Amino acid sequence: ALGVIVDPRSGEVLAMANLPLFDPNNASNSAPELRRNRAITDAYEPGSTFKIIAAAAVLEDGLARLEDRVYCERGELKLSNGEIIRDIQAYGNLLFAQVLEKSSNIGLIKFARRLERPRFYEYIRSFGFATRTGIDLPAENPGLLQKVDQWSERSLETIAIGQEIGVTALQLALAYGAIANGGVLMAPRLVAGTVDADGRFEERGGPQKVRRVVRRETAAMLSQVLAGVVANGTGRRAQIKGVAVAGKTGTAQRAAADGSGYDPDASIASFAGFLPAADPQYVCVVMVENPRVDGWGGHVAAPA
C-alpha cells in the first residue's frame, strides 16, 4: 500500500509513505521491491480514478454539460473491435455527474467518444501524465502512454476508464491538485529550504506553476461532481464528519506477469480526492495492491 498527501495550492508534498516498510539498517534482509519509493517509481493502471481526466476534457471543450444525460445500456457496451465493456449493473439513463458517482464505464466512454483522439492525448499530457514530475527524489517513473498513432481501435475508450495507461501515485495527486486549486498543474515541492548552522532559514525556490490545464469554471464543476461521488456515490466511505470531501474511487485489474492479459486474482484498490471540497488544502491518494478481503477502492482505500 502507499499514500501521498499534497498541498494543491503550492505543490508541496506533505506526506509520502509505502507499506510494508523495511529496516534501512538491515536492508539486505528485505525484498528489493520494498526498498523502492513506489509512490514515484511504480507505474500502475489507475482504473476509475483516471476517469476525471476524460470528464475534464469534455467539459472544458464544451462537449458535455453537467445536466446532460447518457444511456448506459443494460450493463454491457460493445466496442468497435467487438470486445465488451461492462458495468457492475445496468444503470440505464444517467446524468453526467451520476456517471462518475456510480463510476459507470459505459457512461464515461460514451462521453469520452465525443473527443478526438489527439485532443484526448493532449489533455492527458497536459495534466502531467507520461512525463516525470521533476520531484527531487531518485528513480522517478514517467509512466506509460502510447503515442496516438499507436493506439488501437479501443484505446480511447479503455484509456478513458483508466486502462492501457500507467501512472504514478504522485502524478495522480498532482492532477487532482489541478482540479482542486482551480485548474493549474503545480510542480511538486519536496524541500521548503535549508537552515544553516546559525539557524538562518533560506527558502529553496517557491511554488512553481507548470501550466493551466482547465478553466477555473471547469475545475469548479469537476469539484462539485467529485463531492457528489463522496456524498452519494462509490466514495461514501471517504466521508469525514464536519468536512466536505471530494474524490473518486478506483478498482483496477493488474496485468498478468506473462503479458497475456489481466490476472483474475490481482487488483489495485485506490482513492484520490481532496478536502475541504470548497477550499481544498490537502490532496490525498491511497493505493492498495491485491487487497485480500474486499477489492473495491471505495471499501479498501477510501476509508484511509
Side-chain angles (χ1 to χ4, degrees), residues 158-251:
T158 51
I159 293 173
I161 60 174
Q163 297 178 343
E164 206 179 317
I165 183 171
V167 311
T168 67
L170 179 61
Q171 286 176 332
L172 194 65
L174 293 170
Y176 271 73
I179 296 167
N181 69 23
V184 177
L185 181 69
M186 301 296 294
R189 191 173 180 223
L190 190 67
V191 177
T194 56
V195 178
D196 65 17
D198 297 322
R200 290 188 294 265
F201 175 77
E202 182 178 350
E203 188 175 28
R204 183 179 172 183
Q208 181 181 349
K209 297 178 180 180
V210 179
R211 70 182 69 88
R212 174 165 290 281
V213 291
V214 293
R215 291 173 292 117
R216 185 172 292 277
E217 295 80 7
T218 300
M221 286 190 287
L222 291 166
S223 295
Q224 176 185 333
V225 170
L226 291 173
V229 172
V230 175
N232 309 308
T234 59
R236 282 191 292 267
R237 297 192 188 193
Q239 293 176 4
I240 299 174
K241 187 175 181 180
V243 181
V245 178
K248 184 72 189 73
T249 57
T251 307

XYZ file of all heavy atoms in Angstrom, residues 158-251:
667
model
N -10.659 2.626 -23.566
C -10.059 1.972 -22.411
C -9.180 2.932 -21.602
O -9.150 2.858 -20.369
C -9.243 0.736 -22.841
O -8.340 1.100 -23.896
C -10.147 -0.364 -23.332
N -8.500 3.843 -22.274
C -7.713 4.827 -21.527
C -8.643 5.739 -20.728
O -8.331 6.126 -19.598
C -6.821 5.643 -22.475
C -5.749 4.743 -23.096
C -6.146 6.796 -21.730
C -4.920 5.418 -24.174
N -9.792 6.075 -21.292
C -10.747 6.944 -20.600
C -11.179 6.373 -19.257
O -11.478 7.123 -18.322
C -11.964 7.205 -21.483
N -11.209 5.042 -19.139
C -11.619 4.419 -17.873
C -10.414 3.906 -17.088
O -10.559 3.111 -16.158
C -12.643 3.290 -18.106
C -12.072 2.179 -18.987
C -13.931 3.852 -18.701
C -12.997 0.968 -19.118
N -9.211 4.365 -17.460
C -8.039 4.095 -16.648
C -7.312 2.802 -16.921
O -6.532 2.333 -16.088
N -7.543 2.216 -18.102
C -6.774 1.056 -18.532
C -5.845 1.484 -19.674
O -5.993 2.556 -20.238
C -7.696 -0.073 -19.009
C -8.605 -0.626 -17.923
C -9.532 -1.709 -18.449
O -9.737 -1.856 -19.640
N -10.119 -2.464 -17.538
N -4.870 0.652 -19.965
C -3.951 0.906 -21.084
C -3.122 2.175 -20.865
O -2.672 2.818 -21.807
C -4.723 0.987 -22.411
C -3.911 0.640 -23.646
C -4.714 0.712 -24.928
O -5.872 0.244 -24.943
O -4.192 1.230 -25.927
N -2.928 2.540 -19.608
C -2.077 3.674 -19.251
C -1.473 3.384 -17.889
O -2.112 2.749 -17.041
C -2.866 5.007 -19.216
C -1.933 6.183 -18.923
C -4.030 4.966 -18.226
C -2.580 7.544 -19.082
N -0.228 3.807 -17.685
C 0.428 3.633 -16.401
C 0.744 4.983 -15.782
O 1.307 5.857 -16.441
N 0.378 5.172 -14.515
C 0.616 6.433 -13.821
C 1.263 6.136 -12.472
O 1.168 5.025 -11.947
C -0.688 7.232 -13.608
C -1.483 7.333 -14.895
C -1.546 6.615 -12.510
N 1.894 7.136 -11.886
C 2.373 7.015 -10.512
C 1.395 7.720 -9.579
O 0.613 8.574 -10.003
C 3.768 7.630 -10.336
O 3.689 9.051 -10.517
C 4.765 7.029 -11.326
N 1.462 7.359 -8.321
C 0.575 7.984 -7.339
C 0.828 9.486 -7.248
O -0.107 10.272 -7.080
C 0.771 7.321 -5.974
N 2.091 9.898 -7.369
C 2.388 11.329 -7.308
C 1.797 12.065 -8.502
O 1.231 13.153 -8.353
C 3.894 11.555 -7.252
C 4.326 13.024 -7.209
C 3.770 13.729 -5.981
C 5.844 13.149 -7.267
N 1.912 11.493 -9.707
C 1.299 12.116 -10.881
C -0.202 12.300 -10.674
O -0.757 13.359 -10.988
C 1.541 11.257 -12.124
C 2.948 11.286 -12.677
C 3.111 10.331 -13.841
O 2.417 9.317 -13.935
N 4.031 10.643 -14.737
N -0.853 11.272 -10.151
C -2.293 11.343 -9.944
C -2.642 12.409 -8.912
O -3.610 13.164 -9.090
C -2.818 9.971 -9.502
C -4.328 9.779 -9.552
C -4.851 9.855 -10.988
C -4.725 8.447 -8.920
N -1.846 12.502 -7.842
C -2.102 13.505 -6.816
C -1.981 14.914 -7.383
O -2.811 15.792 -7.092
C -1.132 13.318 -5.654
N -0.977 15.159 -8.206
C -0.798 16.490 -8.784
C -1.912 16.819 -9.780
O -2.333 17.973 -9.890
C 0.566 16.585 -9.454
C 1.768 16.510 -8.496
C 3.071 16.371 -9.279
C 1.817 17.726 -7.577
N -2.401 15.810 -10.510
C -3.506 16.034 -11.443
C -4.777 16.415 -10.687
O -5.497 17.344 -11.077
C -3.742 14.787 -12.286
N -5.062 15.709 -9.587
C -6.215 16.072 -8.769
C -5.999 17.435 -8.113
O -6.950 18.190 -7.892
C -6.494 15.000 -7.716
C -7.415 13.915 -8.203
C -6.990 12.961 -9.114
C -8.745 13.851 -7.772
C -7.826 11.968 -9.583
C -9.600 12.858 -8.226
C -9.141 11.918 -9.136
O -9.986 10.934 -9.611
N -4.742 17.753 -7.826
C -4.439 19.072 -7.289
C -4.804 20.182 -8.250
O -5.240 21.263 -7.836
N -4.641 19.913 -9.551
C -5.003 20.913 -10.561
C -6.501 21.180 -10.565
O -6.941 22.312 -10.822
C -4.533 20.460 -11.940
N -7.283 20.162 -10.289
C -8.729 20.358 -10.196
C -9.065 21.102 -8.907
O -9.894 22.018 -8.881
C -9.455 18.999 -10.251
C -9.212 18.342 -11.609
C -10.948 19.165 -9.979
C -9.613 16.895 -11.665
N -8.379 20.728 -7.826
C -8.677 21.306 -6.518
C -8.341 22.788 -6.452
O -9.031 23.560 -5.771
C -7.908 20.546 -5.436
N -7.272 23.220 -7.142
C -6.810 24.609 -6.986
C -7.372 25.564 -8.038
O -6.974 26.722 -8.110
C -5.276 24.670 -6.977
C -4.644 24.340 -8.334
O -5.268 24.456 -9.381
N -3.385 23.937 -8.307
N -8.285 25.066 -8.869
C -8.890 25.946 -9.864
C -8.346 25.780 -11.263
O -8.609 26.617 -12.127
N -7.580 24.696 -11.517
C -7.207 24.383 -12.898
C -5.752 24.490 -13.258
O -5.407 24.416 -14.451
N -4.838 24.634 -12.272
C -3.417 24.822 -12.569
C -2.600 23.637 -12.070
O -2.676 23.287 -10.883
C -2.873 26.120 -11.932
C -1.376 26.264 -12.196
C -3.629 27.328 -12.467
N -1.825 23.032 -12.957
C -0.919 21.956 -12.560
C 0.298 22.577 -11.886
O 0.955 23.461 -12.447
C -0.488 21.145 -13.780
C 0.458 19.972 -13.498
C -0.271 18.868 -12.743
C 1.040 19.418 -14.797
N 0.616 22.100 -10.678
C 1.757 22.603 -9.925
C 2.895 21.593 -9.964
O 2.665 20.380 -10.001
C 1.367 22.868 -8.469
C 0.242 23.863 -8.283
S 0.643 25.533 -8.851
C 1.946 25.974 -7.688
N 4.119 22.091 -9.937
C 5.280 21.216 -9.805
C 5.376 20.762 -8.352
O 5.061 21.517 -7.440
C 6.554 21.951 -10.210
N 5.808 19.519 -8.112
C 5.929 19.063 -6.729
C 7.087 19.754 -6.023
O 8.140 20.006 -6.619
C 6.196 17.560 -6.878
C 6.856 17.427 -8.206
C 6.219 18.480 -9.074
N 6.903 20.061 -4.762
C 7.916 20.751 -3.968
C 8.189 19.915 -2.728
O 7.326 19.762 -1.867
C 7.410 22.140 -3.602
C 8.474 23.057 -3.012
C 7.910 24.459 -2.841
N 8.906 25.359 -2.273
C 8.644 26.249 -1.316
N 7.417 26.359 -0.832
N 9.597 27.038 -0.859
N 9.381 19.380 -2.636
C 9.720 18.456 -1.548
C 10.468 19.143 -0.414
O 10.269 18.830 0.755
C 10.562 17.309 -2.109
C 10.805 16.134 -1.182
C 9.506 15.394 -0.902
C 11.833 15.183 -1.791
N 11.348 20.083 -0.742
C 12.176 20.772 0.259
C 11.812 22.252 0.256
O 11.906 22.918 -0.778
C 13.678 20.599 -0.042
C 14.518 21.378 0.962
C 14.053 19.120 -0.032
N 11.373 22.751 1.409
C 10.995 24.160 1.508
C 12.222 25.062 1.518
O 12.199 26.169 0.980
C 10.159 24.394 2.764
N 13.308 24.585 2.134
C 14.507 25.401 2.215
C 15.535 24.747 3.108
O 15.388 23.590 3.505
N 16.573 25.470 3.434
C 17.652 24.938 4.270
C 17.898 25.872 5.448
O 17.608 27.078 5.378
C 18.951 24.789 3.465
O 19.297 26.067 2.888
C 18.787 23.778 2.340
N 18.442 25.303 6.511
C 18.777 26.068 7.711
C 20.277 25.917 7.951
O 20.793 24.789 7.989
C 17.986 25.556 8.933
C 18.372 26.337 10.190
C 16.489 25.672 8.682
N 20.986 27.032 8.111
C 22.431 26.948 8.330
C 22.738 26.740 9.812
O 21.828 26.634 10.650
C 23.140 28.181 7.764
C 22.781 29.473 8.478
O 22.237 29.416 9.611
O 23.029 30.553 7.898
N 24.020 26.700 10.129
C 24.444 26.395 11.498
C 23.972 27.428 12.500
O 23.849 27.138 13.700
C 25.962 26.277 11.543
N 23.690 28.626 12.035
C 23.208 29.682 12.923
C 21.690 29.764 12.995
O 21.127 30.690 13.592
C 23.772 31.038 12.469
C 25.283 31.098 12.560
O 25.831 30.536 13.534
O 25.908 31.677 11.657
N 21.018 28.820 12.335
C 19.564 28.775 12.393
C 18.865 29.657 11.388
O 17.646 29.841 11.458
N 19.624 30.218 10.454
C 19.011 31.070 9.436
C 18.384 30.198 8.347
O 19.053 29.331 7.778
C 20.036 32.021 8.843
C 20.503 33.115 9.794
C 21.382 34.132 9.058
N 22.620 33.500 8.619
C 23.760 33.529 9.295
N 23.827 34.153 10.464
N 24.840 32.940 8.811
N 17.121 30.486 8.058
C 16.398 29.723 7.042
C 16.531 30.406 5.689
O 16.326 31.618 5.573
C 14.921 29.605 7.411
C 14.070 28.939 6.349
C 14.082 27.573 6.175
C 13.254 29.705 5.525
C 13.303 26.967 5.208
C 12.465 29.111 4.545
C 12.500 27.738 4.391
N 16.856 29.617 4.692
C 16.923 30.125 3.318
C 15.954 29.323 2.455
O 16.108 28.116 2.305
C 18.335 30.009 2.754
C 18.446 30.580 1.336
C 19.864 30.508 0.790
O 20.790 30.202 1.565
O 20.034 30.752 -0.419
N 14.952 30.005 1.917
C 13.951 29.319 1.109
C 14.587 28.790 -0.178
O 15.406 29.460 -0.812
C 12.796 30.248 0.762
C 11.630 29.539 0.074
C 10.435 30.455 -0.148
O 10.645 31.677 -0.276
O 9.310 29.950 -0.193
N 14.179 27.591 -0.542
C 14.684 26.973 -1.770
C 13.595 27.054 -2.834
O 12.794 26.156 -3.000
C 15.087 25.528 -1.504
C 15.687 24.826 -2.703
C 16.082 23.409 -2.341
N 16.478 22.658 -3.515
C 16.817 21.372 -3.497
N 16.804 20.707 -2.352
N 17.147 20.744 -4.605
N 13.571 28.161 -3.530
C 12.535 28.346 -4.538
C 11.175 28.503 -3.890
O 11.019 28.479 -2.675
N 10.175 28.674 -4.695
C 8.806 28.795 -4.207
C 7.882 27.951 -5.055
O 8.323 27.204 -5.917
N 6.587 28.028 -4.805
C 5.626 27.279 -5.625
C 5.814 27.589 -7.107
O 6.010 28.742 -7.493
C 4.271 27.770 -5.126
C 4.541 28.217 -3.716
C 5.919 28.788 -3.738
N 5.761 26.550 -7.926
C 6.002 26.713 -9.359
C 4.815 26.182 -10.155
O 4.488 24.999 -10.078
C 7.280 25.970 -9.766
C 7.611 26.110 -11.242
C 8.861 25.340 -11.625
O 9.605 24.868 -10.765
N 9.084 25.194 -12.924
N 4.195 27.068 -10.917
C 3.097 26.665 -11.786
C 3.671 26.055 -13.070
O 4.547 26.639 -13.701
C 2.211 27.863 -12.136
C 1.523 28.490 -10.937
C 0.696 29.698 -11.357
C 0.014 30.331 -10.154
N -0.792 31.521 -10.552
N 3.160 24.884 -13.433
C 3.595 24.240 -14.676
C 2.782 24.767 -15.845
O 3.324 25.260 -16.826
C 3.472 22.705 -14.569
C 3.909 22.035 -15.877
C 4.299 22.185 -13.398
N 1.467 24.696 -15.738
C 0.586 25.212 -16.793
C -0.855 25.203 -16.298
O -1.186 24.479 -15.348
C 0.692 24.360 -18.066
C 0.082 22.975 -17.948
C 0.252 22.143 -19.202
N 1.638 21.779 -19.412
C 2.214 20.679 -18.891
N 1.508 19.868 -18.118
N 3.467 20.396 -19.128
N -1.688 25.984 -16.937
C -3.129 25.877 -16.703
C -3.668 24.772 -17.594
O -3.423 24.748 -18.793
C -3.839 27.197 -16.996
C -5.376 27.108 -16.907
C -6.045 28.453 -16.835
N -5.802 29.129 -15.569
C -6.461 28.847 -14.442
N -7.406 27.906 -14.419
N -6.168 29.506 -13.330
N -4.428 23.852 -16.998
C -4.929 22.713 -17.770
C -6.415 22.845 -18.103
O -6.864 22.372 -19.151
C -4.661 21.379 -17.038
C -3.178 21.077 -17.030
C -5.198 21.391 -15.618
N -7.184 23.489 -17.212
C -8.602 23.750 -17.488
C -8.960 25.111 -16.891
O -8.254 25.635 -16.024
C -9.547 22.673 -16.893
C -9.358 21.341 -17.596
C -9.351 22.534 -15.390
N -10.060 25.664 -17.356
C -10.542 26.934 -16.821
C -11.007 26.753 -15.368
O -11.374 25.653 -14.948
C -11.710 27.451 -17.660
C -11.328 27.904 -19.072
C -12.559 28.245 -19.901
N -13.351 27.051 -20.184
C -14.586 26.855 -19.764
N -15.209 27.792 -19.045
N -15.230 25.755 -20.078
N -11.005 27.847 -14.630
C -11.457 27.792 -13.236
C -12.897 27.291 -13.145
O -13.250 26.541 -12.223
C -11.329 29.183 -12.602
C -11.665 29.233 -11.126
C -11.329 30.582 -10.522
N -9.896 30.810 -10.483
C -9.097 30.348 -9.527
N -9.592 29.616 -8.537
N -7.808 30.627 -9.558
N -13.723 27.674 -14.125
C -15.125 27.232 -14.115
C -15.234 25.721 -14.290
O -16.067 25.062 -13.659
C -15.899 27.945 -15.229
C -16.020 29.448 -15.064
C -14.764 30.207 -15.488
O -13.831 29.575 -16.037
O -14.723 31.432 -15.268
N -14.397 25.160 -15.152
C -14.405 23.711 -15.362
C -13.955 22.994 -14.105
O -14.554 21.985 -13.697
C -13.489 23.340 -16.541
O -13.957 23.996 -17.718
C -13.488 21.844 -16.774
N -12.898 23.499 -13.471
C -12.408 22.895 -12.229
C -13.485 22.922 -11.149
O -13.649 21.963 -10.388
C -11.151 23.609 -11.760
N -14.242 24.009 -11.087
C -15.310 24.118 -10.087
C -16.401 23.084 -10.339
O -16.924 22.477 -9.391
C -15.894 25.528 -10.103
N -16.754 22.881 -11.609
C -17.754 21.866 -11.935
C -17.263 20.475 -11.551
O -18.008 19.661 -10.998
C -18.105 21.922 -13.418
C -18.970 23.098 -13.826
S -19.593 22.970 -15.521
C -18.097 23.319 -16.460
N -16.008 20.186 -11.848
C -15.447 18.877 -11.517
C -15.392 18.675 -10.012
O -15.664 17.573 -9.516
C -14.054 18.748 -12.122
C -14.003 18.657 -13.648
C -12.585 18.874 -14.146
C -14.529 17.311 -14.123
N -15.057 19.716 -9.270
C -15.034 19.615 -7.817
C -16.426 19.301 -7.281
O -16.587 18.497 -6.354
C -14.515 20.917 -7.202
O -13.165 21.144 -7.556
N -17.423 19.931 -7.884
C -18.808 19.662 -7.496
C -19.167 18.200 -7.744
O -19.789 17.538 -6.903
C -19.739 20.586 -8.289
C -21.216 20.355 -8.059
C -22.079 21.217 -8.979
O -21.665 22.289 -9.422
N -23.283 20.753 -9.289
N -18.766 17.696 -8.898
C -19.048 16.302 -9.239
C -18.333 15.359 -8.274
O -18.919 14.380 -7.777
C -18.624 16.006 -10.692
C -18.687 14.512 -10.980
C -19.512 16.768 -11.664
N -17.078 15.631 -7.971
C -16.310 14.762 -7.086
C -16.844 14.799 -5.653
O -16.787 13.793 -4.938
C -14.834 15.161 -7.116
C -14.096 14.875 -8.428
C -12.695 15.458 -8.394
C -14.037 13.376 -8.714
N -17.373 15.941 -5.239
C -18.018 15.999 -3.929
C -19.260 15.112 -3.906
O -19.560 14.471 -2.886
C -18.381 17.446 -3.584
N -19.950 15.046 -5.041
C -21.113 14.168 -5.147
C -20.744 12.700 -5.097
O -21.510 11.870 -4.584
N -19.561 12.344 -5.616
C -19.103 10.953 -5.556
C -18.979 10.499 -4.105
O -19.344 9.372 -3.747
C -17.746 10.799 -6.280
C -17.169 9.410 -6.049
C -17.898 11.065 -7.768
N -18.458 11.398 -3.245
C -18.282 11.049 -1.834
C -19.601 11.156 -1.068
O -19.882 10.353 -0.175
C -17.205 11.947 -1.187
C -17.086 11.681 0.317
C -15.858 11.710 -1.867
N -20.426 12.123 -1.428
C -21.693 12.305 -0.720
C -22.712 11.229 -1.075
O -23.442 10.743 -0.199
C -22.270 13.686 -1.025
N -22.747 10.853 -2.367
C -23.836 9.993 -2.832
C -23.391 8.723 -3.555
O -24.215 7.858 -3.827
C -24.731 10.776 -3.814
C -25.172 12.108 -3.271
O -25.706 12.176 -2.168
N -24.939 13.179 -4.026
N -22.115 8.620 -3.900
C -21.692 7.549 -4.801
C -20.746 6.542 -4.181
O -20.831 6.219 -2.993
N -19.813 6.072 -5.010
C -18.928 4.976 -4.595
C -17.915 5.384 -3.536
O -17.292 4.531 -2.916
C -18.151 4.435 -5.813
O -17.387 5.508 -6.390
C -19.090 3.865 -6.854
N -17.761 6.698 -3.296
C -16.782 7.163 -2.327
C -17.350 7.499 -0.963
O -16.715 8.211 -0.176
N -18.532 6.983 -0.645
C -19.193 7.373 0.614
C -18.342 7.073 1.856
O -18.439 7.756 2.862
C -20.552 6.679 0.733
C -21.644 7.326 -0.117
C -23.017 6.776 0.224
N -23.131 5.390 -0.182
C -23.608 4.995 -1.362
N -23.993 5.895 -2.241
N -23.696 3.726 -1.673
N -17.503 6.044 1.781
C -16.699 5.690 2.962
C -15.523 6.642 3.173
O -14.780 6.503 4.134
C -16.217 4.244 2.849
C -17.362 3.245 2.837
C -16.902 1.823 3.010
N -18.004 0.888 2.816
C -17.961 -0.402 3.144
N -16.865 -0.910 3.672
N -18.997 -1.191 2.932
N -15.365 7.613 2.290
C -14.348 8.649 2.490
C -14.917 9.861 3.213
O -14.206 10.835 3.438
C -13.766 9.089 1.146
N -16.184 9.805 3.602
C -16.798 10.933 4.292
C -16.144 11.160 5.652
O -15.754 10.211 6.336
C -18.297 10.693 4.483
C -19.097 10.665 3.192
C -20.555 10.319 3.419
O -20.995 10.171 4.554
N -21.303 10.164 2.334
N -15.991 12.435 6.020
C -15.469 12.827 7.320
C -16.480 13.777 7.946
O -16.863 14.770 7.321
C -14.096 13.518 7.194
C -13.078 12.566 6.554
C -13.599 14.001 8.555
C -11.749 13.214 6.252
N -16.901 13.500 9.147
C -17.921 14.313 9.795
C -17.443 15.750 9.917
O -16.364 16.034 10.427
C -18.244 13.747 11.179
C -19.422 14.436 11.846
C -19.787 13.770 13.160
C -20.998 14.452 13.805
N -21.361 13.791 15.094
N -18.251 16.673 9.414
C -17.947 18.085 9.525
C -17.061 18.649 8.431
O -16.808 19.848 8.406
N -16.592 17.794 7.528
C -15.721 18.234 6.439
C -16.239 17.660 5.129
O -16.449 16.451 5.018
C -14.259 17.773 6.653
C -13.386 18.262 5.508
C -13.724 18.269 7.978
N -16.454 18.519 4.138
C -16.882 18.042 2.821
C -15.658 17.517 2.063
O -14.664 18.222 1.906
C -17.539 19.164 2.036
N -15.740 16.279 1.604
C -14.642 15.626 0.887
C -15.061 15.419 -0.566
O -16.214 15.094 -0.852
C -14.299 14.269 1.532
C -13.179 13.560 0.764
C -13.907 14.452 2.985
N -14.126 15.601 -1.490
C -14.359 15.339 -2.906
C -13.363 14.290 -3.369
O -12.206 14.312 -2.953
C -14.186 16.620 -3.724
N -13.795 13.372 -4.221
C -12.834 12.361 -4.671
C -13.442 11.314 -5.562
O -14.630 11.357 -5.885
N -12.609 10.366 -5.955
C -13.031 9.308 -6.874
C -12.375 7.999 -6.480
O -11.179 7.953 -6.173
C -12.631 9.680 -8.315
C -13.106 8.681 -9.368
C -14.588 8.771 -9.586
C -15.091 7.630 -10.476
N -15.091 6.322 -9.751
N -13.163 6.946 -6.522
C -12.658 5.608 -6.233
C -12.104 4.963 -7.494
O -12.434 5.343 -8.620
C -13.776 4.718 -5.681
O -14.854 4.686 -6.645
C -14.308 5.266 -4.367
N -11.269 3.950 -7.300
C -10.745 3.191 -8.425
C -10.549 1.738 -8.047
O -10.060 1.435 -6.956
N -10.959 0.854 -8.933
C -10.728 -0.579 -8.753
C -10.227 -1.102 -10.083
O -10.977 -1.153 -11.053
C -12.018 -1.319 -8.336
O -12.581 -0.669 -7.189
C -11.727 -2.771 -8.016
